[in-house]
Amino acid sequence: MLNGRETLASLDQAMSDLRREETELDTRIERSTRSLADLRSRQNDGYRELARFRLDNDAASGLTSRLDDAAREAKRLMDKRSEDFRTLSEELRTKETALADLRKNRDALAGNREQLASRMDSLMEEVDSLLEADESYLTQSRKAEAAAQTADAARAKAQRALADREEKGKAYQDDILFIYLWKRGFGTPEYASTGLIRSLDRWVARLIGFEGARANYAMLTRIPEKLAAHADRCEVLAAQEQDVLAAMSRKKMAETAGEDLAGKIEDATAEISALDQKIEDLEPSITTLTNALHAFSNGEDDGFRKAEEQLSGSLRGDDLQDLWRDALATPSPEDEKIVRKLEDLADQIEAVERDIRQDRELQRDIAARRAELASVAQNFRRNGYDNWDSTFSDNSLTTVLLGELLKGAITGAEYWTRAQRSHKRRKPKGTRIGFPGGSGLPRGMGGGFGGSSGGSSGGFGGGGFKTGGGFGGGGFKTGDTF
Protein backbone atom coordinates (compact mmCIF):
# COMPACT_ATOMS: atom_id res chain seq x y z
CA MET A 1 0.00 0.00 0.00
CA LEU A 2 1.34 3.43 -0.97
CA ASN A 3 1.21 6.51 1.19
CA GLY A 4 0.22 9.86 -0.30
CA ARG A 5 3.53 11.67 0.14
CA GLU A 6 5.51 8.98 -1.66
CA THR A 7 2.99 8.95 -4.51
CA LEU A 8 3.15 12.73 -5.00
CA ALA A 9 6.96 12.59 -4.81
CA SER A 10 6.99 10.04 -7.64
CA LEU A 11 4.80 12.37 -9.75
CA ASP A 12 7.08 15.35 -9.09
CA GLN A 13 10.17 13.29 -9.95
CA ALA A 14 8.56 12.11 -13.18
CA MET A 15 7.79 15.72 -14.09
CA SER A 16 11.39 16.71 -13.44
CA ASP A 17 12.57 13.87 -15.69
CA LEU A 18 10.24 14.98 -18.49
CA ARG A 19 11.36 18.58 -18.11
CA ARG A 20 14.98 17.46 -18.37
CA GLU A 21 14.11 15.65 -21.62
CA GLU A 22 12.43 18.80 -22.90
CA THR A 23 15.50 20.88 -22.10
CA GLU A 24 17.75 18.41 -23.92
CA LEU A 25 15.41 18.49 -26.92
CA ASP A 26 15.32 22.29 -26.90
CA THR A 27 19.11 22.36 -26.99
CA ARG A 28 19.28 19.75 -29.73
CA ILE A 29 16.69 21.46 -31.90
CA GLU A 30 18.34 24.84 -31.40
CA ARG A 31 21.67 23.33 -32.40
CA SER A 32 20.06 21.80 -35.50
CA THR A 33 18.36 25.08 -36.33
CA ARG A 34 21.67 26.92 -36.15
CA SER A 35 23.25 24.18 -38.22
CA LEU A 36 20.52 24.66 -40.81
CA ALA A 37 21.28 28.37 -40.98
CA ASP A 38 24.98 27.59 -41.30
CA LEU A 39 24.35 25.14 -44.16
CA ARG A 40 22.32 27.73 -46.02
CA SER A 41 25.09 30.24 -45.47
CA ARG A 42 27.51 27.75 -46.96
CA GLN A 43 25.14 27.39 -49.91
CA ASN A 44 25.49 31.11 -50.37
CA ASP A 45 29.27 30.71 -50.33
CA GLY A 46 29.05 27.90 -52.88
CA TYR A 47 26.97 29.95 -55.29
CA ARG A 48 29.25 32.91 -54.80
CA GLU A 49 32.24 30.71 -55.66
CA LEU A 50 30.40 29.31 -58.67
CA ALA A 51 29.53 32.82 -59.85
CA ARG A 52 33.14 33.91 -59.70
CA PHE A 53 34.14 30.86 -61.74
CA ARG A 54 31.41 30.97 -64.38
CA LEU A 55 30.48 34.65 -64.87
CA ASP A 56 32.29 37.68 -66.12
CA ASN A 57 33.41 40.28 -63.60
CA ASP A 58 30.36 42.58 -63.73
CA ALA A 59 27.77 39.81 -63.48
CA ALA A 60 29.75 38.00 -60.81
CA SER A 61 30.22 41.19 -58.83
CA GLY A 62 26.48 41.95 -58.76
CA LEU A 63 25.49 38.43 -57.75
CA THR A 64 28.27 38.19 -55.17
CA SER A 65 27.21 41.49 -53.64
CA ARG A 66 23.64 40.25 -53.27
CA LEU A 67 24.76 37.01 -51.66
CA ASP A 68 27.23 38.80 -49.35
CA ASP A 69 24.59 41.27 -48.13
CA ALA A 70 22.17 38.45 -47.37
CA ALA A 71 24.84 36.46 -45.51
CA ARG A 72 25.89 39.44 -43.39
CA GLU A 73 22.31 40.33 -42.43
CA ALA A 74 21.50 36.70 -41.66
CA LYS A 75 24.58 36.43 -39.44
CA ARG A 76 23.64 39.61 -37.57
CA LEU A 77 20.10 38.31 -36.97
CA MET A 78 21.34 34.88 -35.87
CA ASP A 79 23.88 36.37 -33.44
CA LYS A 80 21.17 38.53 -31.85
CA ARG A 81 18.86 35.56 -31.77
CA SER A 82 21.48 33.45 -29.98
CA GLU A 83 21.78 36.11 -27.30
CA ASP A 84 17.98 36.21 -26.89
CA PHE A 85 17.91 32.43 -26.66
CA ARG A 86 20.55 32.44 -23.91
CA THR A 87 18.64 35.12 -21.97
CA LEU A 88 15.40 33.16 -22.25
CA SER A 89 17.09 29.91 -21.24
CA GLU A 90 18.67 31.55 -18.20
CA GLU A 91 15.34 33.02 -17.09
CA LEU A 92 13.71 29.61 -17.43
CA ARG A 93 16.53 27.92 -15.48
CA THR A 94 16.13 30.48 -12.69
CA LYS A 95 12.41 29.82 -12.39
CA GLU A 96 12.86 26.06 -12.61
CA THR A 97 15.46 26.23 -9.83
CA ALA A 98 12.99 28.22 -7.72
CA LEU A 99 10.29 25.62 -8.43
CA ALA A 100 12.64 22.76 -7.51
CA ASP A 101 13.50 24.54 -4.25
CA LEU A 102 9.80 25.02 -3.45
CA ARG A 103 9.11 21.35 -4.07
CA LYS A 104 12.12 20.33 -2.00
CA ASN A 105 11.01 22.51 0.91
CA ARG A 106 7.47 21.23 0.58
CA ASP A 107 8.61 17.62 0.64
CA ALA A 108 10.72 18.29 3.73
CA LEU A 109 7.73 19.91 5.48
CA ALA A 110 5.46 17.08 4.41
CA GLY A 111 7.97 14.54 5.75
CA ASN A 112 8.18 16.36 9.08
CA ARG A 113 4.39 16.59 9.25
CA GLU A 114 4.12 12.87 8.59
CA GLN A 115 6.52 12.09 11.43
CA LEU A 116 4.57 14.34 13.81
CA ALA A 117 1.29 12.74 12.77
CA SER A 118 2.70 9.23 13.20
CA ARG A 119 3.91 10.11 16.67
CA MET A 120 0.54 11.60 17.56
CA ASP A 121 -1.18 8.49 16.23
CA SER A 122 1.00 6.28 18.42
CA LEU A 123 -0.15 8.23 21.52
CA MET A 124 -3.86 8.30 20.72
CA GLU A 125 -4.79 5.18 22.69
CA GLU A 126 -2.78 6.33 25.71
CA VAL A 127 -4.58 9.68 25.61
CA ASP A 128 -7.90 7.83 25.43
CA SER A 129 -7.04 5.91 28.57
CA LEU A 130 -6.04 9.10 30.41
CA LEU A 131 -9.21 10.96 29.37
CA GLU A 132 -11.36 7.99 30.37
CA ALA A 133 -10.27 8.64 33.96
CA ASP A 134 -10.57 12.44 33.70
CA GLU A 135 -13.88 13.43 35.30
CA SER A 136 -13.77 17.02 34.02
CA TYR A 137 -13.36 15.74 30.48
CA LEU A 138 -16.19 13.24 30.87
CA THR A 139 -18.44 15.96 32.26
CA GLN A 140 -17.70 18.18 29.28
CA SER A 141 -18.24 15.23 26.96
CA ARG A 142 -21.73 14.69 28.38
CA LYS A 143 -22.41 18.42 28.10
CA ALA A 144 -21.31 18.48 24.48
CA GLU A 145 -23.39 15.39 23.69
CA ALA A 146 -26.47 16.93 25.29
CA ALA A 147 -25.96 20.16 23.32
CA ALA A 148 -25.58 18.16 20.11
CA GLN A 149 -28.78 16.23 20.81
CA THR A 150 -30.65 19.46 21.51
CA ALA A 151 -29.37 20.94 18.26
CA ASP A 152 -30.35 17.77 16.40
CA ALA A 153 -33.85 17.93 17.82
CA ALA A 154 -34.20 21.65 17.06
CA ARG A 155 -33.11 21.16 13.46
CA ALA A 156 -35.45 18.19 13.01
CA LYS A 157 -38.36 20.23 14.37
CA ALA A 158 -37.51 23.13 12.04
CA GLN A 159 -37.41 20.77 9.09
CA ARG A 160 -40.79 19.26 10.01
CA ALA A 161 -42.28 22.75 10.34
CA LEU A 162 -40.95 23.65 6.93
CA ALA A 163 -42.43 20.48 5.44
CA ASP A 164 -45.77 21.29 7.09
CA ARG A 165 -45.69 24.77 5.63
CA GLU A 166 -45.11 23.38 2.16
CA GLU A 167 -47.87 20.79 2.53
CA LYS A 168 -50.55 22.70 4.45
CA GLY A 169 -49.84 26.10 2.98
CA LYS A 170 -50.77 24.88 -0.49
CA ALA A 171 -54.50 25.05 0.28
CA TYR A 172 -54.18 28.71 1.23
CA GLN A 173 -51.97 29.54 -1.75
CA ASP A 174 -54.36 27.84 -4.18
CA ASP A 175 -57.34 29.86 -2.95
CA ILE A 176 -57.50 32.92 -5.22
CA LEU A 177 -59.67 35.02 -2.91
CA PHE A 178 -57.62 34.31 0.18
CA ILE A 179 -54.30 35.10 -1.55
CA TYR A 180 -55.83 38.26 -3.02
CA LEU A 181 -56.73 39.56 0.47
CA TRP A 182 -53.45 38.30 1.97
CA LYS A 183 -51.31 40.12 -0.57
CA ARG A 184 -53.32 43.33 -0.05
CA GLY A 185 -52.63 43.08 3.70
CA PHE A 186 -56.31 42.94 4.60
CA GLY A 187 -56.85 42.93 8.37
CA THR A 188 -53.41 44.46 9.05
CA PRO A 189 -52.22 48.07 9.45
CA GLU A 190 -50.70 47.83 5.95
CA TYR A 191 -54.16 47.63 4.32
CA ALA A 192 -54.81 51.01 2.62
CA SER A 193 -57.92 50.61 0.43
CA THR A 194 -61.00 52.80 1.07
CA GLY A 195 -64.53 53.28 -0.19
CA LEU A 196 -66.17 50.70 -2.40
CA ILE A 197 -63.05 48.52 -2.67
CA ARG A 198 -62.79 48.32 1.11
CA SER A 199 -66.47 47.34 1.35
CA LEU A 200 -66.08 44.65 -1.30
CA ASP A 201 -62.97 43.28 0.41
CA ARG A 202 -64.88 43.04 3.71
CA TRP A 203 -67.68 41.15 1.97
CA VAL A 204 -65.17 38.68 0.44
CA ALA A 205 -63.43 38.27 3.81
CA ARG A 206 -66.70 37.40 5.58
CA LEU A 207 -67.64 35.04 2.74
CA ILE A 208 -64.50 32.90 3.06
CA GLY A 209 -63.86 33.28 6.82
CA PHE A 210 -60.65 35.19 6.14
CA GLU A 211 -59.87 36.43 9.66
CA GLY A 212 -59.45 32.97 11.14
CA ALA A 213 -57.65 31.67 8.07
CA ARG A 214 -55.28 34.66 8.06
CA ALA A 215 -54.22 33.97 11.64
CA ASN A 216 -53.64 30.31 10.79
CA TYR A 217 -51.64 31.11 7.67
CA ALA A 218 -49.57 33.76 9.43
CA MET A 219 -48.65 31.26 12.13
CA LEU A 220 -47.95 28.60 9.50
CA THR A 221 -45.44 30.85 7.71
CA ARG A 222 -43.75 32.30 10.81
CA ILE A 223 -43.14 29.10 12.78
CA PRO A 224 -40.54 27.54 10.41
CA GLU A 225 -38.50 30.76 10.43
CA LYS A 226 -38.52 30.96 14.22
CA LEU A 227 -37.67 27.28 14.58
CA ALA A 228 -34.85 27.56 12.00
CA ALA A 229 -33.37 30.52 13.89
CA HIS A 230 -33.64 28.56 17.14
CA ALA A 231 -31.92 25.56 15.49
CA ASP A 232 -29.11 27.82 14.26
CA ARG A 233 -28.53 29.10 17.80
CA CYS A 234 -28.55 25.56 19.20
CA GLU A 235 -26.01 24.43 16.62
CA VAL A 236 -23.70 27.34 17.45
CA LEU A 237 -23.89 26.44 21.16
CA ALA A 238 -23.30 22.77 20.38
CA ALA A 239 -20.25 23.65 18.27
CA GLN A 240 -18.89 25.80 21.09
CA GLU A 241 -19.28 22.94 23.58
CA GLN A 242 -17.63 20.61 21.08
CA ASP A 243 -14.73 23.03 20.66
CA VAL A 244 -14.21 23.08 24.43
CA LEU A 245 -14.09 19.28 24.37
CA ALA A 246 -11.67 19.29 21.41
CA ALA A 247 -9.38 21.74 23.23
CA MET A 248 -9.31 19.42 26.25
CA SER A 249 -8.35 16.48 24.00
CA ARG A 250 -5.55 18.47 22.41
CA LYS A 251 -4.32 19.68 25.78
CA LYS A 252 -4.11 16.11 27.09
CA MET A 253 -2.27 15.06 23.92
CA ALA A 254 0.23 17.91 24.38
CA GLU A 255 0.80 16.95 28.02
CA THR A 256 1.36 13.32 27.07
CA ALA A 257 3.71 14.12 24.19
CA GLY A 258 5.57 16.90 25.95
CA GLU A 259 4.85 19.21 23.00
CA ASP A 260 1.86 20.48 21.02
CA LEU A 261 1.91 17.88 18.26
CA ALA A 262 -1.48 18.89 16.84
CA GLY A 263 -0.46 22.55 16.73
CA LYS A 264 2.81 21.72 14.99
CA ILE A 265 0.96 19.60 12.45
CA GLU A 266 -1.43 22.47 11.77
CA ASP A 267 1.51 24.89 11.40
CA ALA A 268 3.23 22.55 8.94
CA THR A 269 -0.02 22.18 6.98
CA ALA A 270 -0.37 25.96 6.76
CA GLU A 271 3.21 26.28 5.49
CA ILE A 272 2.61 23.52 2.95
CA SER A 273 -0.54 25.29 1.73
CA ALA A 274 1.45 28.50 1.30
CA LEU A 275 4.11 26.64 -0.70
CA ASP A 276 1.42 24.99 -2.81
CA GLN A 277 0.10 28.43 -3.71
CA LYS A 278 3.59 29.60 -4.65
CA ILE A 279 4.04 26.49 -6.80
CA GLU A 280 0.72 27.08 -8.57
CA ASP A 281 1.62 30.74 -9.12
CA LEU A 282 5.05 29.86 -10.55
CA GLU A 283 4.04 27.01 -12.87
CA PRO A 284 2.15 29.16 -15.45
CA SER A 285 5.16 31.47 -15.96
CA ILE A 286 7.39 28.43 -16.45
CA THR A 287 4.93 27.09 -19.02
CA THR A 288 4.96 30.45 -20.83
CA LEU A 289 8.77 30.53 -20.90
CA THR A 290 8.92 26.89 -21.99
CA ASN A 291 6.59 27.57 -24.90
CA ALA A 292 8.63 30.62 -25.87
CA LEU A 293 11.81 28.55 -25.72
CA HIS A 294 10.17 25.86 -27.87
CA ALA A 295 9.35 28.56 -30.42
CA PHE A 296 13.01 29.70 -30.40
CA SER A 297 14.46 26.24 -30.69
CA ASN A 298 11.99 25.40 -33.48
CA GLY A 299 12.97 28.51 -35.45
CA GLU A 300 9.48 29.99 -35.09
CA ASP A 301 10.73 33.31 -33.67
CA ASP A 302 10.98 36.52 -35.73
CA GLY A 303 14.79 36.55 -35.62
CA PHE A 304 15.17 33.16 -37.25
CA ARG A 305 12.38 33.75 -39.76
CA LYS A 306 14.03 36.99 -40.90
CA ALA A 307 17.47 35.36 -41.13
CA GLU A 308 16.04 32.42 -43.07
CA GLU A 309 14.19 34.81 -45.35
CA GLN A 310 17.41 36.67 -46.08
CA LEU A 311 19.28 33.48 -46.97
CA SER A 312 16.52 31.73 -48.88
CA GLY A 313 15.66 34.96 -50.70
CA SER A 314 19.23 35.38 -51.86
CA LEU A 315 19.22 31.81 -53.21
CA ARG A 316 16.10 32.35 -55.30
CA GLY A 317 16.20 33.70 -58.83
CA ASP A 318 16.66 32.73 -62.43
CA ASP A 319 20.32 33.80 -62.41
CA LEU A 320 21.24 31.08 -59.91
CA GLN A 321 19.21 28.47 -61.79
CA ASP A 322 20.96 29.42 -65.01
CA LEU A 323 24.29 29.28 -63.22
CA TRP A 324 23.50 25.79 -61.97
CA ARG A 325 22.42 24.53 -65.40
CA ASP A 326 25.47 26.04 -67.10
CA ALA A 327 27.80 24.38 -64.59
CA LEU A 328 26.17 21.01 -65.21
CA ALA A 329 26.44 21.46 -68.98
CA THR A 330 30.15 22.23 -69.09
CA PRO A 331 32.88 19.61 -68.94
CA SER A 332 35.00 21.70 -66.56
CA PRO A 333 35.99 19.68 -63.46
CA GLU A 334 36.33 22.81 -61.30
CA ASP A 335 32.76 23.93 -61.47
CA GLU A 336 31.59 20.33 -61.20
CA LYS A 337 33.32 20.14 -57.79
CA ILE A 338 31.40 23.21 -56.68
CA VAL A 339 28.14 21.73 -57.98
CA ARG A 340 28.79 18.47 -56.15
CA LYS A 341 29.47 20.46 -52.98
CA LEU A 342 26.17 22.33 -53.44
CA GLU A 343 24.33 19.04 -53.99
CA ASP A 344 25.90 17.63 -50.84
CA LEU A 345 24.83 20.73 -48.91
CA ALA A 346 21.27 20.32 -50.22
CA ASP A 347 21.25 16.69 -48.98
CA GLN A 348 22.55 17.78 -45.57
CA ILE A 349 19.90 20.50 -45.34
CA GLU A 350 17.18 17.96 -46.11
CA ALA A 351 18.54 15.58 -43.45
CA VAL A 352 18.75 18.33 -40.82
CA GLU A 353 15.20 19.49 -41.64
CA ARG A 354 13.99 15.89 -41.26
CA ASP A 355 15.70 15.59 -37.85
CA ILE A 356 14.17 18.87 -36.73
CA ARG A 357 10.68 17.73 -37.75
CA GLN A 358 11.08 14.51 -35.80
CA ASP A 359 12.45 16.30 -32.73
CA ARG A 360 9.63 18.84 -32.87
CA GLU A 361 7.07 16.06 -32.87
CA LEU A 362 8.77 14.43 -29.89
CA GLN A 363 8.95 17.82 -28.17
CA ARG A 364 5.19 18.38 -28.58
CA ASP A 365 4.52 14.88 -27.27
CA ILE A 366 6.68 15.36 -24.16
CA ALA A 367 5.14 18.78 -23.47
CA ALA A 368 1.64 17.28 -23.65
CA ARG A 369 2.58 14.43 -21.30
CA ARG A 370 4.22 16.84 -18.84
CA ALA A 371 1.08 18.99 -18.85
CA GLU A 372 -1.05 15.92 -18.08
CA LEU A 373 1.29 14.95 -15.25
CA ALA A 374 1.32 18.50 -13.85
CA SER A 375 -2.48 18.50 -13.75
CA VAL A 376 -2.51 15.22 -11.80
CA ALA A 377 0.07 16.51 -9.30
CA GLN A 378 -1.94 19.69 -8.84
CA ASN A 379 -5.05 17.62 -8.09
CA PHE A 380 -3.07 15.61 -5.54
CA ARG A 381 -2.00 18.74 -3.70
CA ARG A 382 -5.39 20.45 -3.86
CA ASN A 383 -7.19 17.39 -2.51
CA GLY A 384 -4.70 16.72 0.28
CA TYR A 385 -3.79 13.35 -1.19
CA ASP A 386 -0.31 13.56 0.33
CA ASN A 387 -1.62 14.01 3.89
CA TRP A 388 -0.72 11.52 6.62
CA ASP A 389 -4.12 9.84 6.39
CA SER A 390 -3.93 9.25 2.60
CA THR A 391 -3.15 5.78 1.29
CA PHE A 392 -3.52 4.08 -2.08
CA SER A 393 -4.30 0.41 -2.54
CA ASP A 394 -3.09 0.45 -6.17
CA ASN A 395 0.71 0.08 -6.04
CA SER A 396 0.94 0.54 -9.82
CA LEU A 397 0.33 4.28 -9.35
CA THR A 398 4.08 4.74 -8.91
CA THR A 399 5.19 1.96 -11.27
CA VAL A 400 3.29 0.55 -14.24
CA LEU A 401 0.49 3.11 -14.32
CA LEU A 402 2.88 6.03 -13.97
CA GLY A 403 4.98 4.53 -16.76
CA GLU A 404 1.90 4.33 -18.98
CA LEU A 405 1.16 7.99 -18.28
CA LEU A 406 4.76 8.97 -19.07
CA LYS A 407 4.60 7.07 -22.37
CA GLY A 408 1.29 8.69 -23.26
CA ALA A 409 -0.53 5.35 -23.25
CA ILE A 410 -3.12 6.76 -20.80
CA THR A 411 -4.29 10.30 -20.11
CA GLY A 412 -3.90 12.27 -16.91
CA ALA A 413 -7.67 12.00 -16.40
CA GLU A 414 -7.47 8.20 -16.55
CA TYR A 415 -4.60 8.15 -14.07
CA TRP A 416 -6.46 10.50 -11.72
CA THR A 417 -9.59 8.32 -11.88
CA ARG A 418 -7.53 5.28 -10.88
CA ALA A 419 -5.93 7.25 -8.07
CA GLN A 420 -9.32 8.39 -6.75
CA ARG A 421 -10.66 4.84 -6.94
CA SER A 422 -7.79 3.40 -4.89
CA HIS A 423 -7.56 6.31 -2.41
CA LYS A 424 -8.48 5.72 1.22
CA ARG A 425 -8.29 7.77 4.41
CA ARG A 426 -6.90 5.86 7.36
CA LYS A 427 -8.22 6.61 10.83
CA PRO A 428 -6.07 7.37 13.88
CA LYS A 429 -5.72 4.60 16.42
CA GLY A 430 -7.60 6.44 19.18
CA THR A 431 -10.78 8.60 19.23
CA ARG A 432 -12.63 6.09 21.42
CA ILE A 433 -12.79 8.75 24.16
CA GLY A 434 -10.72 11.72 23.01
CA PHE A 435 -11.18 13.59 19.76
CA PRO A 436 -14.77 12.32 19.29
CA GLY A 437 -15.75 12.14 15.65
CA GLY A 438 -12.37 13.63 14.72
CA SER A 439 -13.14 16.90 16.50
CA GLY A 440 -9.86 18.54 17.51
CA LEU A 441 -7.69 16.40 15.27
CA PRO A 442 -5.47 18.38 12.89
CA ARG A 443 -6.29 18.45 9.22
CA GLY A 444 -4.67 15.53 7.50
CA MET A 445 -5.56 13.20 10.38
CA GLY A 446 -9.28 13.19 9.77
CA GLY A 447 -10.36 16.35 11.56
CA GLY A 448 -9.96 20.04 12.17
CA PHE A 449 -9.92 22.46 15.07
CA GLY A 450 -12.35 25.27 15.79
CA GLY A 451 -16.02 25.79 15.13
CA SER A 452 -15.57 25.96 11.37
CA SER A 453 -13.60 22.74 11.02
CA GLY A 454 -14.18 20.63 14.07
CA GLY A 455 -16.65 17.78 13.78
CA SER A 456 -19.34 17.04 16.33
CA SER A 457 -19.80 13.69 17.91
CA GLY A 458 -23.27 13.27 16.59
CA GLY A 459 -24.21 15.80 13.93
CA PHE A 460 -27.50 17.61 13.92
CA GLY A 461 -30.61 15.74 12.81
CA GLY A 462 -32.74 13.40 14.88
CA GLY A 463 -34.62 13.38 18.14
CA GLY A 464 -37.03 16.22 18.85
CA PHE A 465 -39.34 17.83 21.33
CA LYS A 466 -43.13 18.24 21.28
CA THR A 467 -44.81 21.40 20.12
CA GLY A 468 -48.15 21.22 21.82
CA GLY A 469 -51.45 21.86 20.03
CA GLY A 470 -52.13 22.69 16.41
CA PHE A 471 -53.54 25.72 14.68
CA GLY A 472 -56.84 25.61 12.87
CA GLY A 473 -60.43 26.75 13.08
CA GLY A 474 -62.29 29.58 11.44
CA GLY A 475 -64.55 29.28 8.48
CA PHE A 476 -61.69 28.57 6.04
CA LYS A 477 -60.71 24.93 6.20
CA THR A 478 -57.30 23.75 5.01
CA GLY A 479 -57.59 20.08 5.76
CA ASP A 480 -55.43 18.75 8.62
CA THR A 481 -54.75 21.17 11.45
CA PHE A 482 -51.21 22.41 11.94
Side-chain angles (χ1 to χ4, degrees):
M1 184 169 289
L2 300 172
N3 71 37
R5 191 171 66 86
E6 292 170 343
T7 306
L8 180 59
S10 69
L11 294 174
D12 285 339
Q13 181 58 52
M15 269 195 295
S16 297
D17 292 342
L18 284 179
R19 187 67 198 97
R20 188 162 48 251
E21 286 186 51
E22 276 188 288
T23 301
E24 291 171 358
L25 266 178
D26 282 337
T27 302
R28 192 164 77 201
I29 295 173
E30 163 62 10
R31 195 160 45 238
S32 296
T33 303
R34 286 192 61 80
S35 175
L36 189 62
D38 180 63
L39 288 169
R40 288 200 172 121
S41 179
R42 287 164 61 190
Q43 268 187 320
N44 253 15
D45 294 341
Y47 274 106
R48 190 166 54 243
E49 184 181 355
L50 189 60
R52 282 196 298 267
F53 181 81
R54 294 296 309 163
L55 301 176
D56 58 50
N57 288 338
D58 289 341
S61 176
L63 182 57
T64 299
S65 176
R66 189 183 89 196
L67 294 172
D68 284 345
D69 289 346
R72 278 194 297 271
E73 179 61 13
K75 184 178 185 307
R76 185 188 70 80
L77 290 168
M78 289 300 291
D79 288 344
K80 181 180 182 303
R81 179 181 180 276
S82 295
E83 184 60 34
D84 292 341
F85 184 83
R86 281 193 292 272
T87 300
L88 192 63
S89 297
E90 184 58 37
E91 187 177 355
L92 179 59
R93 276 194 295 272
T94 299
K95 287 188 178 293
E96 285 183 331
T97 298
L99 180 61
D101 288 342
L102 287 173
R103 286 176 175 164
K104 182 179 179 181
N105 292 339
R106 187 194 189 284
D107 187 58
L109 278 170
N112 181 55
R113 180 179 64 176
E114 191 168 306
Q115 291 177 357
L116 291 168
S118 295
R119 186 173 173 223
M120 184 170 171
D121 183 52
S122 69
L123 295 172
M124 290 289 285
E125 291 179 346
E126 181 180 350
V127 169
D128 264 2
S129 298
L130 293 170
L131 290 175
E132 195 171 19
D134 188 330
E135 189 55 42
S136 62
Y137 179 85
L138 297 177
T139 298
Q140 179 59 35
S141 179
R142 289 189 291 269
K143 190 176 179 181
E145 180 64 25
Q149 290 176 357
T150 298
D152 287 345
R155 180 59 63 192
K157 184 173 176 62
Q159 290 170 346
R160 286 198 301 273
L162 182 61
D164 277 346
R165 184 175 71 181
E166 295 296 321
E167 178 185 351
K168 297 175 182 177
K170 191 174 186 304
Y172 295 96
Q173 294 160 7
D174 289 346
D175 189 285
I176 298 174
L177 295 177
F178 174 81
I179 287 298
Y180 161 77
L181 293 174
W182 175 267
K183 288 182 177 179
R184 292 178 65 82
F186 186 83
T188 70
E190 287 76 25
Y191 183 74
S193 297
T194 60
L196 180 61
I197 293 177
R198 189 181 189 92
S199 298
L200 289 172
D201 285 349
R202 283 176 178 169
W203 177 76
V204 171
R206 286 194 300 272
L207 181 66
I208 66 171
F210 179 76
E211 286 302 322
R214 185 187 66 79
N216 260 356
Y217 189 64
M219 190 69 71
L220 189 66
T221 55
R222 284 199 301 267
I223 282 179
E225 295 172 2
K226 291 181 177 179
L227 291 179
H230 173 66
D232 288 343
R233 290 191 295 272
C234 289
E235 287 175 354
V236 169
L237 292 173
Q240 290 173 350
E241 296 297 343
Q242 191 70 29
D243 285 347
V244 172
L245 190 67
M248 295 175 74
S249 296
R250 287 174 72 121
K251 182 181 179 183
K252 184 61 69 175
M253 173 60 73
E255 290 172 354
T256 306
E259 59 180 324
D260 184 11
L261 290 176
K264 287 186 174 182
I265 292 169
E266 291 285 11
D267 289 344
T269 298
E271 290 184 63
I272 288 170
S273 295
L275 288 177
D276 284 343
Q277 188 59 57
K278 289 181 179 179
I279 288 171
E280 287 200 23
D281 290 343
L282 187 57
E283 284 176 337
S285 63
I286 288 178
T287 298
T288 300
L289 284 170
T290 299
N291 292 338
L293 198 62
H294 287 347
F296 259 84
S297 64
N298 289 334
E300 296 168 357
D301 58 289
D302 287 341
F304 182 80
R305 279 198 292 264
K306 288 178 181 177
E308 188 176 42
E309 190 176 304
Q310 287 289 331
L311 290 171
S312 60
S314 70
L315 293 172
R316 287 194 298 267
D318 293 339
D319 48 2
L320 291 184
Q321 295 300 318
D322 292 341
L323 195 62
W324 178 272
R325 282 193 295 269
D326 289 346
L328 290 175
T330 63
S332 171
E334 294 301 322
D335 57 0
E336 285 182 4
K337 289 180 183 177
I338 300 172
V339 168
R340 281 197 297 272
K341 182 168 67 175
L342 287 171
E343 288 176 337
D344 183 56
L345 286 170
D347 290 340
Q348 291 181 54
I349 287 172
E350 184 180 351
V352 171
E353 287 178 335
R354 184 172 55 251
D355 290 342
I356 289 175
R357 285 194 300 271
Q358 292 173 347
D359 283 345
R360 284 175 180 173
E361 185 64 33
L362 181 57
Q363 184 187 64
R364 285 191 291 269
D365 181 55
I366 290 176
R369 283 183 276 144
R370 179 178 54 79
E372 296 265 348
L373 197 56
S375 178
V376 172
Q378 188 178 78
N379 280 335
F380 262 74
R381 291 192 296 267
R382 286 179 175 177
N383 288 275
Y385 272 19
D386 66 325
N387 287 345
W388 171 86
D389 62 351
S390 281
T391 60
F392 297 91
S393 57
D394 189 350
N395 290 328
S396 68
L397 287 174
T398 58
T399 53
V400 177
L401 206 60
L402 181 56
E404 293 294 297
L405 178 58
L406 290 174
K407 290 187 297 185
I410 63 172
T411 65
E414 290 171 318
Y415 182 95
W416 176 243
T417 298
R418 288 280 294 270
Q420 286 180 303
R421 193 180 301 141
S422 68
H423 180 254
K424 290 181 175 58
R425 298 278 185 189
R426 58 176 169 176
K427 295 180 179 179
K429 295 175 182 176
T431 73
R432 179 175 56 87
I433 303 296
F435 304 100
S439 178
L441 285 175
R443 289 183 297 276
M445 290 189 71
F449 188 58
S452 62
S453 58
S456 74
S457 59
F460 305 123
F465 47 86
K466 303 303 179 185
T467 64
F471 302 99
F476 185 77
K477 302 296 183 182
T478 63
D480 294 339
T481 59
F482 176 74

